[in-house]
Amino acid sequence: MRRTLERFTLLGPGLAYLTALMVVPLVLVLSYSLFQRGRFGGLVYEPTGENFARLVDPLYLDVVLTSVKLAGVTTVLALLLGYPTAYAIAKLPAKWKTVALIALVLPFWTNFLIRTYAWIVLLSPAGLVNDALTGWGLIDEPLQLLYRQPAIVAGLLYAYLPLMVLPLYAALERMDAELLEAAANLGARPARAFFSVTFPLTLPAVVTGCVFVFVPSIGNFVVPELLGGGQTAMVGNLVRDQFLKARDWPFGATLALAVVALLVVLLMIQAWSARRLQGGRDA
Amino acid sequence: MRRIPLGLTLVFLYVPIVVVVVMSFNAGDSPFNWNGFSLKWYGELAADEQIRTGLGNTLIVAAGSTALSTVLGTLLAVGLARHTRSTLLDAIATLPVILPDIVLAIGLLAFYALVQLTLGLYSVLLAHAVFGTAAVAAVVRTRLSTTDPSLEEASRDLGANGFTTFWRVTLPTLAPGVVAGALLAFTLSVDEFVIAFFTAGPQSPTLPIVIYSMVRFGVTPEINALATVLLAVTFTAILAVQRLTRLAGTR
């Protein structure tokens, strides 16, 4: 009895709060996607599948595919840059590891808008990148770097790269060095040992890192707007516009749910790859 | 050889920041071309009414949501670690961390519309306390996992009731974790944009919302100065959190 009361006092307030301001809002978003939009915004409580059908309307499908492409390219680049980075940190002497990790996360903790803004300063026609390129005589006239899709990828990569490096670092750090010695004793060269031992063992972390980069990238509306000049819309921009401009909350909610569904699928893949590795080790 | 990617990554991460900081001391009106050293943009910044209002709003929201998050998150952490093994409750407490911010943002907007809460500073404050609570709970649980539950048992064996044990034994051992969690919640709230953007309403912009509208209107050296101030504040805060968490971890 006393124990139950204690439990209630400790868990009750926090869970009640998170239920009211997170679980209920999520259920609302879910239910909105099932209803129709009223003529003047708002909601008509008549069930419809129309919102989901609109996801594959060419007009919106194009935005969805562009988002998947841009977020996908960002994720691949983050992996290509992030894996060797995480590897390098894991091989540093203990003292320098902490320093490198702090150096890696410090920019990540600074205001997201400021970090995006910094790329406008770098990429604009009079910015540092164009200055350097013309200064070295590589180009005659400043390039239009801003307001193009590569600028969006640069901004997203800049924003989320640490989210790739950190799980990879954790996995590489945990890895048993004896496994690599064993591979070497069996005659594997470093490259072979890396692709047969190290990489497969860190695969769950690779998937985790990819989820951590891909999901926020696809939902981001600030980077496409500021660095893409509003010419390329991503799912995040669409969600925002449906809620704040078109006042079509049901369709905005459906788009947001599509992002959540994607997140769930990716997390399931991650859990599956982790379990598979675990199973392989036990066998 | 092996360290080249690390070097590349650090260059990639720091060049934009360094450029912004250097240009904030530029005497000229251009945010790109160097015209000598000056502090004039910091003067402009200090005189900017919009930014002062935004900063005030941000601090009110951050202080309020941090206070709320710290109480809720600490209780929740102790409850989850000592009184349950439910994966569902675990999931609810960690969901705000992985949920895309835009999803939480529109969910809260829909919720506020349903309960007919007028958007303002308190709606942002309540929204920020959602991820704040999850952050505090996560940090405090890390701290709890390194403390010895037998201290609490000893306290009970000596006849202390649950409240006394919590107040005189559990909480003091958790203190560094609670402080680190509160600092984290505060920093997250100060920086948060997307959820504030959806839940603030037109009358109460927080600083990130002010920055967003400034950046949308174009690049000015004043933003460079603002960016530099924010960078300095965040770097200091994060290094303080780092020190505290390390203390929390070793003691």
Side-chain angles (χ1 to χ4, degrees), chain A residues 237-262:
Chain A
N237 302 69
L238 219 47
V239 174
R240 179 203 52 189
D241 292 347
Q242 296 304 319
F243 267 83
L244 301 182
K245 287 185 190 153
R247 317 246 353 130
D248 188 346
W249 288 21
F251 184 54
T254 312
L255 284 161
L257 276 184
V259 174
V260 174
L262 198 64

Side-chain angles (χ1 to χ4, degrees), chain A residues 2-3 6-7 9-11 13-15 17-26 28-29 32 45 81-82 84-85 87-89 91-93 98 100 102-115 117-122 124 126-128 131 154 157-158 161-162 165 212 215-216 219 221-222 225-226 235-237 239-240 243-244 249 252-253 256-257 259-260 263 267, chain B residues 2-3 5-6 8-10 12-17 19-20 23 31-33 68 72 75-76 78-80 82-84 89 92-93 95-96 98-104 106-114 125-127 129-130 133 156 160-162 166 184 187-188 190-191 193-194 197-198 208-209 211-212 215-216 219-221 223-224 226-227 230-231 234-235 238-239 242 246:
Chain A
R2 210 181 64 181
R3 187 104 181 130
E6 257 179 59
R7 226 172 114 166
T9 326
L10 288 168
L11 290 166
L15 288 175
Y17 194 81
L18 291 180
T19 303
L21 278 102
M22 182 184 66
V23 178
V24 171
L26 285 177
L28 273 180
V29 170
Y32 274 21
Y45 290 97
L81 185 59
T85 302
Y87 195 84
I89 299 177
K91 297 287 177 203
L92 283 176
T98 324
I102 294 176
L104 189 82
V105 294
L106 263 182
F108 184 66
W109 281 108
T110 61
N111 188 279
F112 175 73
L113 292 154
I114 293 295
R115 283 185 290 151
Y117 164 78
W119 281 88
I120 301 182
V121 177
L122 273 185
S124 72
L128 191 78
D131 262 9
L157 181 64
Y158 190 63
L161 181 63
V165 178
F212 282 0
V215 171
F221 67 86
V222 177
E225 173 153 317
L226 296 183
V235 175
N237 302 69
V239 174
R240 179 203 52 189
F243 267 83
L244 301 182
W249 288 21
L257 276 184
V259 174
V260 174
L263 172 68
L267 286 175
Chain B
R2 192 185 275 156
R3 290 178 193 170
L6 176 59
L8 271 176
T9 297
L10 291 179
F12 176 65
L13 290 179
Y14 283 90
V15 162
I17 291 177
V19 169
V20 168
M23 293 316 285
F32 307 112
N33 297 314
L68 190 56
L72 294 176
L75 292 175
L76 190 59
V78 177
L80 287 173
R82 299 277 194 259
H83 291 272
T84 178
L89 300 188
I92 291 179
L95 193 59
I98 51 164
L99 201 65
D101 46 11
I102 195 164
V103 178
L104 187 57
I106 60 166
L108 282 161
L109 181 61
F111 177 72
Y112 290 153
L114 184 80
L125 192 156
L126 293 174
V130 174
T133 300
R156 283 167 197 280
N161 62 26
F166 182 81
L184 180 62
T187 320
L188 289 174
V190 167
D191 265 353
F193 167 67
V194 174
F197 182 70
F198 277 85
I209 297 174
I211 299 174
Y212 176 70
V215 174
R216 272 181 53 175
V219 181
T220 81
I223 309 181
N224 290 335
L226 177 59
L230 286 180
L231 284 167
T234 324
F235 278 30
I238 290 303
L239 291 175
Q242 163 73 20
R246 201 162 34 183

